[in-house]
Amino acid sequence: WTTHVSGTSTTLDGIRDPHNFARYSPQHHLVWFGGGNGSRKTWRISQSGVITPAADAPAALGTLGPGGLGSSLIFTNPVDGTFIIIRNTTTWYTYDPIANTWTQRTGVPHIAAANVFDSTEPIWGTVAAPLPAYGVVAFVKGISRTAGAEMWLFKP
């Protein structure tokens, strides 16, 4: 184990709650992490263990569960190593950890379309699994009030 930050450091202010996230980019050899409880703060940790602040997210991240501020589905784009964040049926973003920039995506992410999720639990119970060998992301939803488990493939 390696300790990168300890004590009462404010370096990672806001990351101490249990609703944060961490995603790895194999193309860029870094972990992007942060969010939680309505926070827009994120950081990157390099392969050598250096932690740097990332650009604030345009919307709160983390809190992966039903309702509430910050519900998001966050996953690594298996094609280019950027990160895709789905907030709801009309709001989704790409975060480029190298350029440290956010881009709002257009269109409706099918995985969050109204015919897929019931309105009370849009992201809850969904797992995103990037499949780099195929350049797609598999989504599996196992909890819904109106439907059984389902699976979709998404090509970024």
Side-chain angles (χ1 to χ4, degrees), residues 53-89:
D56 285 355
L61 303 171
T63 316
L64 300 177
L69 283 175
S71 294
S72 301
L73 183 59
I74 304 167
F75 54 93
T76 306
N77 182 333
V79 176
D80 63 10
T82 60
F83 300 97
I84 298 173
I85 302 87
I86 298 176
R87 295 275 299 131
N88 55 47
T89 58

Side-chain angles (χ1 to χ4, degrees), residues 73-125:
L73 183 59
I74 304 167
F75 54 93
T76 306
N77 182 333
V79 176
D80 63 10
T82 60
F83 300 97
I84 298 173
I85 302 87
I86 298 176
R87 295 275 299 131
N88 55 47
T89 58
T90 60
T91 308
W92 56 322
Y93 304 93
T94 295
Y95 173 68
D96 182 332
I98 301 305
N100 197 25
T101 57
W102 289 85
T103 304
Q104 187 162 0
R105 297 177 68 118
T106 59
V108 174
H110 181 74
I111 194 65
N115 65 327
V116 176
F117 291 114
D118 59 46
S119 62
T120 60
E121 299 179 351
I123 298 297
W124 181 245

Side-chain angles (χ1 to χ4, degrees), residues 6-152:
S6 65
T8 58
S9 171
T10 59
T11 302
L12 302 179
D13 187 39
I15 198 69
R16 292 178 288 273
D17 70 73
H19 301 112
N20 44 46
F21 70 92
R23 298 294 180 269
Y24 178 67
S25 172
Q27 292 89 337
H28 302 304
H29 307 287
L30 61 81
V31 174
W32 177 56
F33 65 100
N37 287 356
S39 176
R40 296 175 49 218
K41 300 289 184 191
T42 64
W43 296 267
R44 296 164 296 192
I45 184 167
S46 69
Q47 187 173 12
S48 60
V50 175
I51 297 174
T52 55
D56 285 355
L61 303 171
T63 316
L64 300 177
L69 283 175
S71 294
S72 301
L73 183 59
I74 304 167
F75 54 93
T76 306
N77 182 333
V79 176
D80 63 10
T82 60
F83 300 97
I84 298 173
I85 302 87
I86 298 176
R87 295 275 299 131
N88 55 47
T89 58
T90 60
T91 308
W92 56 322
Y93 304 93
T94 295
Y95 173 68
D96 182 332
I98 301 305
N100 197 25
T101 57
W102 289 85
T103 304
Q104 187 162 0
R105 297 177 68 118
T106 59
V108 174
H110 181 74
I111 194 65
N115 65 327
V116 176
F117 291 114
D118 59 46
S119 62
T120 60
E121 299 179 351
I123 298 297
W124 181 245
T126 303
V127 175
L131 303 171
Y134 301 99
V136 299
V137 178
F139 293 99
V140 178
K141 179 179 170 84
I143 298 174
S144 176
R145 293 180 184 188
T146 59
E150 297 176 359
M151 180 178 168
W152 302 268

